[in-house]
């Protein structure tokens, strides 16, 4: 069950492709992360506000709220504006992801050595104070 | 998988495969050229062909080339060939590297499990392989054999769909090998989802076989269409890309320099020699003097210090050297000055390999003069008249753009150059056409006539010629 409390190792992932989910679940699990998946941008926003995950990964092509709009909404909300966001998409949209406020862009398909490393480095790059404040 | 970290975060993309190119080399330079730079990374490709067509060799050349540090390569053998058999024959190829086996190149025989559990077992096998090995390339040999295990069309389609979804989600380049035929492309669902389709084929031609490499489909790529001949050697596939017409460079203008043919009196008949970069068709029956004129033209080039190539399918090297010495030339000196004599037996000729070899020599040596003796041998090596015509047209265009002055000898049946499809086509394509004749019973009488010179006035008379120890010359 998803945690209701801040967890420094919980990642929220908005992804609809079952194969991508399985790969993320497996390799992030191997790296010590807990992963919660949602199907659409609206659910991602609501879960982010509620559980405030360590990091959010989102595809752009999502129903209800697309991944880029999700980034902007997360950045506009004081509760979620400091959570790092990775846009992980089949679309070549690094520029648009940056403009929307994402911290990094990764292009599909999934390669664990790149994906897991990028997430670990983004988390490590977060100021400790900001993390603590976020969890307060 | 591409990565872009935005300015406030410094992600070291050198970990993992972030530096991967968007295209993956096949390990074969000619195949990469045909493919427009290799296979698109993370694509799904089908390599089809009958048994013995070279599919497995092509795939193995590819995997050993790409094996290295980082993620390994996985080769699934299914029901077509047991693993020990695959590896036993693999050892005969120069690209085989035992040090890579088991670490960078991993062979797995999944045949027994597939035979027991059926085609759907492939999906969990792939998932398990991805989780445990993280392969950057996956080869399934034979995928058609897996496909044929599925009991119904619905199950086949489901299996192909699930496999495609998995291989699309994960960053790997996949090669599905199979004994498919062209008709199968419309029947089997894997062809609809494949990003690339290659065919290796073999055609019996008399006592020898001709092999062809063809790309049917390669998404996102400017590939070279058509059939490209190849041979199988201990290096793998030796491919000869089909010759296509060159792009005409911007600002291209024909050369305005005339060069000598090295034949006394002939330059005057041509209005002052040949324009550099032109193609001359030199026709005539056997014994009329074509080879002599060709040699004089080549030796004149060497004398002027021009890299010269003489492609000879008529006389073996010893015969040709004797002829050259008989004309009073020092062969060693001519070769030191830039003459390259190349002999290929017409029996062993494959037009594609000859053309590729010729262009390699032209590029390597910066050839300025060329003689082909004779075109008829190339014609007899070509199985398809249209293919021959396309080759000849492209050849003439390449010579013009590269400013290579060429003389193409052609043997006629009588004292006329028309009446043969290839000769008619070449008369039309060539800038200059010369016709030698030979007649007479008690005394042999040879003549030479200039039938055509493009961009130049010429002597319209039939001139008698003489062949002596000094070569062929025009009589007054």
């Amino acid at each position: 069950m998803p945690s209701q409390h801040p967890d420094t190792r919980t990642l929220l992932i908005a992804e609809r492709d079952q194969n991508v989910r399985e790969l993320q679940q497996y390799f992030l699990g191997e790296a010590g992360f807990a992963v919660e998946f949602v199907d659409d941008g609206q659910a991602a926003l609501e879960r982010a506000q509620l559980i405030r995950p360590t990091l959010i990964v989102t595809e752009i092509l999502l129903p209800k709220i697309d991944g880029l709009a999700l980034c902007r909404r997360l950045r506009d909300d004081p509760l979620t504006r400091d959570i790092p966001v990775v846009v992980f998409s089949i679309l070549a949209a690094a520029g648009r992801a940056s403009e929307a406020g994402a911290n990094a862009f990764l292009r599909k398909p999934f390669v664990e050595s790149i994906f897991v490393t990028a997430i670990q480095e983004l988390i490590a790059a977060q100021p400790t104070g900001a993390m603590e404040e976020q969890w307060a | 998988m591409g990565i872009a970290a935005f300015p406030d975060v410094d992600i070291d993309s050198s970990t993992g495969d972030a530096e991967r190119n968007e295209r993956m080399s096949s390990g074969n330079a000619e195949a990469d050229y045909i493919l427009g730079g290799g296979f698109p990374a993370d694509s799904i490709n089908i390599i089809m062909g009958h048994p013995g067509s070279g599919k497995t060799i092509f795939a193995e050349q590819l995997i050993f080339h790409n094996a290295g540090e980082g993620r390994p390569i996985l080769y699934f053998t299914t029901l077509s060939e047991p693993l020990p058999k695959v590896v036993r024959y693999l050892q005969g190829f120069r690209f085989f590297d035992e040090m890579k086996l088991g670490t960078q190149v991993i062979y797995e025989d999944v045949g027994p499990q597939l035979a027991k559990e059926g085609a759907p077992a492939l999906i969990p096998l792939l998932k398990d392989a991805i989780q445990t090995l993280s392969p950057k390339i996956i080869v399934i040999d034979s995928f058609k054999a897996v496909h044929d295990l599925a009991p119904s069309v619905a199950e086949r389609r489901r299996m192909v769909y699930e496999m495609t979804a998995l291989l699309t989600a994960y960053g790997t380049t996949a090669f599905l090998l199979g004994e498919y035929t062209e008709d199968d492309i419309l029947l089997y669902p894997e062809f609809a989802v494949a990003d690339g389709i290659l065919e290796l084929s073999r055609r019996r031609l008399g006592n020898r076989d001709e092999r062809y490499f063809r790309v049917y489909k390669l998404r996102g790529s400017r590939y070279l269409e058509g059939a490209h001949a190849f041979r199988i050697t201990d290096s793998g596939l030796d491919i000869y890309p089909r010759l296509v017409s060159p792009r005409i460079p911007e600002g291209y203008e024909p050369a305005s320099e005339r060069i000598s043919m090295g034949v006394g009196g002939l330059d005057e008949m041509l209005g002052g020699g040949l324009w550099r970069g032109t193609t001359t068709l030199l026709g005539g029956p056997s014994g009329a003097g074509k080879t002599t004129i060709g040699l004089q033209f080549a030796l004149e080039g060497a004398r002027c210090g021009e890299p010269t190539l003489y492609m000879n399918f008529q006389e073996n090297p010893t015969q040709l050297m004797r002829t050259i010495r008989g004309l009073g030339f020092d062969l060693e000196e001519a070769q030191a000055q830039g003459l390259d004599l190349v002999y290929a037996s017409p029996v062993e000729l494959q037009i594609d390999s000859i053309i590729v070899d010729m262009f390699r020599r032209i590029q390597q040596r910066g050839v300025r003069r060329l003689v082909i003796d004779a075109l008829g041998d190339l014609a007899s090596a070509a199985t398809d008249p249209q293919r021959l015509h396309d080759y000849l047209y492209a050849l003439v265009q390449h010579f013009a753009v590269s400013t290579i002055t060429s003389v193409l000898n052609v043997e006629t049946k009588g004292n006329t150059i028309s009446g043969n499809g290839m000769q008619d086509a070449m008369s039309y394509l060539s800038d200059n056409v010369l016709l030698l004749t030979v007649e007479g019973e008690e005394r042999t009488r040879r003549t030479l006539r200039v039938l055509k010179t493009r961009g130049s006035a010429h002597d319209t008379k039939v001139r008698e010629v003489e062949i002596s120890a000094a070569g062929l010359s025009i009589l007054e």
Side-chain angles (χ1 to χ4, degrees):
Chain A
M1 289 292 291
S3 169
Q4 295 294 316
H5 303 289
D7 181 343
T8 54
R9 305 296 288 177
T10 298
L11 309 180
L12 178 66
I13 300 181
E15 174 62 63
R16 303 185 81 202
D17 186 319
Q18 192 55 38
N19 282 297
V20 176
R21 278 188 175 200
E22 283 182 24
L23 292 164
Q24 291 169 325
Q25 178 84 61
Y26 179 81
F27 287 107
L28 289 171
E30 288 280 292
F33 292 102
V35 183
E36 180 179 338
F37 290 101
V38 289
D39 283 328
D40 61 69
Q42 182 63 45
L45 186 63
E46 289 168 5
R47 290 302 295 166
Q49 289 164 338
L50 189 63
I51 69 171
R52 282 184 287 161
T54 307
L55 181 142
I56 297 168
V57 179
T58 181
E59 166 61 275
I60 293 174
L61 301 172
L62 292 175
K64 298 185 182 174
I65 299 174
D66 71 53
L68 297 175
L70 172 65
C71 282
R72 287 189 284 270
R73 300 273 285 268
L74 290 166
R75 291 291 171 258
D76 288 344
D77 185 339
L79 276 177
T80 59
R81 69 165 48 129
D82 294 324
I83 302 174
V85 177
V86 176
V87 172
F88 179 50
S89 179
I90 196 72
L91 300 176
R96 286 187 289 152
S98 175
E99 287 166 13
N103 298 73
F105 174 83
L106 299 174
R107 181 96 184 262
K108 286 180 179 175
F110 180 90
V111 176
E112 70 279 10
S113 53
I114 299 173
F115 188 84
V116 175
T117 304
I119 285 174
Q120 287 170 330
E121 293 189 8
L122 273 170
I123 291 171
Q126 294 303 302
T128 312
M131 285 283 189
E132 285 170 356
E133 189 181 319
Q134 192 182 322
W135 312 142
Chain B
M1 192 162 88
I3 184 167
F6 304 130
D8 56 331
V9 180
D10 178 24
I11 291 177
D12 178 7
S13 61
S14 65
T15 57
D17 291 40
E19 71 277 14
R20 283 186 315 163
N21 294 323
E22 288 301 309
R23 299 193 82 86
M24 194 198 70
S25 171
S26 67
N28 183 309
E30 284 75 25
D32 287 350
Y33 168 72
I34 292 166
L35 294 165
F39 291 96
D42 305 324
S43 57
I44 300 173
N45 305 282
I46 294 175
I47 302 174
M48 59 186 269
H50 291 178
S53 58
K55 302 181 298 294
T56 298
I57 296 167
F58 180 71
E60 286 170 332
Q61 190 175 4
L62 181 151
I63 62 173
F64 277 91
H65 172 79
N66 284 285
E69 296 300 312
R71 301 162 64 201
I73 292 167
L74 177 63
Y75 199 110
F76 270 167
T77 60
T78 59
L79 303 174
S80 56
E81 279 188 287
L83 178 60
K85 197 171 170 185
V86 171
V87 175
R88 190 200 312 163
Y89 290 111
L90 177 60
Q91 293 173 66
F93 290 99
R94 292 201 301 203
F95 54 75
F96 176 70
D97 183 350
E98 195 179 324
M99 299 301 289
K100 293 179 176 175
L101 210 55
T103 51
Q104 296 162 30
V105 176
I106 297 165
Y107 279 84
E108 277 197 25
D109 187 354
V110 293
Q113 193 168 343
L114 288 170
K116 187 178 169 190
E117 299 174 25
L122 180 67
I123 307 304
L125 281 167
L126 281 171
K127 283 185 180 176
D128 185 56
I130 288 170
Q131 289 179 356
T132 55
L133 298 172
S134 307
K136 63 181 174 187
I137 295 173
I138 298 175
V139 179
I140 304 176
D141 184 7
S142 145
F143 183 71
K144 186 169 184 288
V146 181
H147 188 136
D148 292 345
L149 283 174
S152 68
V153 173
E155 193 163 309
R156 282 177 207 158
R157 290 192 179 277
R158 187 162 54 248
M159 186 269 289
V160 169
Y161 174 79
E162 287 179 8
M163 182 200 66
T164 306
L166 177 61
L167 294 178
T168 304
Y170 186 65
T172 191
T173 308
F175 295 91
L176 313 177
L177 277 56
E179 305 78 17
Y180 302 99
T181 64
E182 195 173 347
D183 293 340
D184 293 335
I185 294 176
L186 295 174
L187 298 175
Y188 285 72
E190 50 265 43
F191 286 97
V193 300
D195 299 299
I197 302 173
L198 267 68
E199 182 196 46
L200 304 183
S201 62
R202 187 163 65 172
R203 185 169 58 181
R204 185 178 292 176
L205 186 71
N207 291 327
R208 61 189 168 94
D209 287 351
E210 284 195 345
R211 296 172 184 271
Y212 291 102
F213 177 103
R214 182 192 292 271
V215 182
Y216 275 96
K217 167 185 177 183
L218 196 61
R219 285 180 178 145
S221 307
R222 277 189 177 183
Y223 61 87
L224 191 57
E225 291 184 337
H228 311 279
F230 73 91
R231 285 179 176 153
I232 295 177
T233 69
D234 62 359
S235 298
L237 266 57
D238 199 1
I239 304 176
Y240 312 107
R242 186 171 64 85
L243 185 67
V244 293
S245 297
R247 288 189 186 151
I248 306 297
E250 275 185 41
Y252 165 75
E253 283 186 22
S256 56
E257 178 193 359
R258 284 191 185 268
I259 61 170
S260 173
M261 289 227 31
V263 176
L266 182 52
D267 291 343
E268 290 74 14
M269 288 181 73
L270 292 164
L274 294 174
W275 291 115
R276 190 179 286 287
T278 56
T279 294
T280 300
L281 184 69
L282 174 59
S286 178
K290 300 182 299 298
T291 297
T292 306
I293 291 183
L295 281 172
Q296 285 176 258
F297 170 74
L299 291 163
E300 174 67 12
R303 195 186 63 77
C304 297
E306 295 179 3
T308 299
L309 177 60
Y310 193 99
M311 298 287 296
N312 169 43
F313 313 119
Q314 295 271 307
E315 298 181 21
N316 68 43
T318 307
Q319 290 173 308
L320 200 64
M321 285 177 200
R322 192 174 58 199
T323 306
I324 291 171
R325 292 196 174 103
L327 291 171
F329 286 93
D330 181 333
L331 178 63
E332 287 70 26
E333 188 183 345
Q335 288 175 318
Q337 287 169 328
L339 176 63
D340 186 13
L341 292 175
V342 178
Y343 171 74
S345 163
V347 177
E348 302 301 326
L349 269 185
Q350 189 185 33
I351 187 168
D352 306 83
S353 62
I354 289 293
I355 298 290
V356 167
D357 179 50
M358 185 170 75
F359 272 93
R360 280 182 187 147
R361 289 172 184 274
I362 286 171
Q363 284 169 356
Q364 284 166 3
R365 300 186 59 250
V367 165
R368 305 302 308 279
R369 287 192 189 215
L370 172 85
V371 178
I372 296 178
D373 190 13
L375 278 185
D377 299 304
L378 281 182
S380 61
T383 50
D384 177 353
Q386 184 58 45
R387 189 173 170 84
L388 174 67
H389 177 270
D390 294 349
Y391 260 108
L392 295 176
Y393 179 79
L395 266 185
V396 171
Q397 293 301 312
H398 274 284
F399 295 159
V401 167
S402 308
T403 331
I404 297 166
T405 314
S406 58
V407 172
L408 313 179
N409 288 355
V410 62
E411 184 163 320
T412 60
K413 282 203 169 166
N415 290 331
T416 174
I417 207 164
S418 62
N420 169 300
M422 187 267 289
Q423 290 172 17
D424 288 343
M426 279 313 297
S427 296
Y428 175 71
L429 293 174
S430 301
D431 300 291
N432 315 302
V433 179
L434 311 182
L435 177 63
L436 285 160
T437 66
V438 57
E439 57 192 30
E441 291 178 4
E442 291 184 4
R443 170 184 168 265
T444 301
R445 179 174 179 268
R446 294 182 176 86
T447 66
L448 189 147
R449 184 179 172 194
V450 180
L451 297 178
K452 167 184 169 184
T453 56
R454 202 169 272 162
S456 176
H458 63 82
D459 184 351
T460 56
K461 291 182 180 166
V462 176
R463 300 283 182 181
E464 193 165 346
V465 302
E466 174 186 68
I467 299 179
S468 66
L472 187 146
S473 57
I474 312 295
L475 299 175
E476 287 301 320

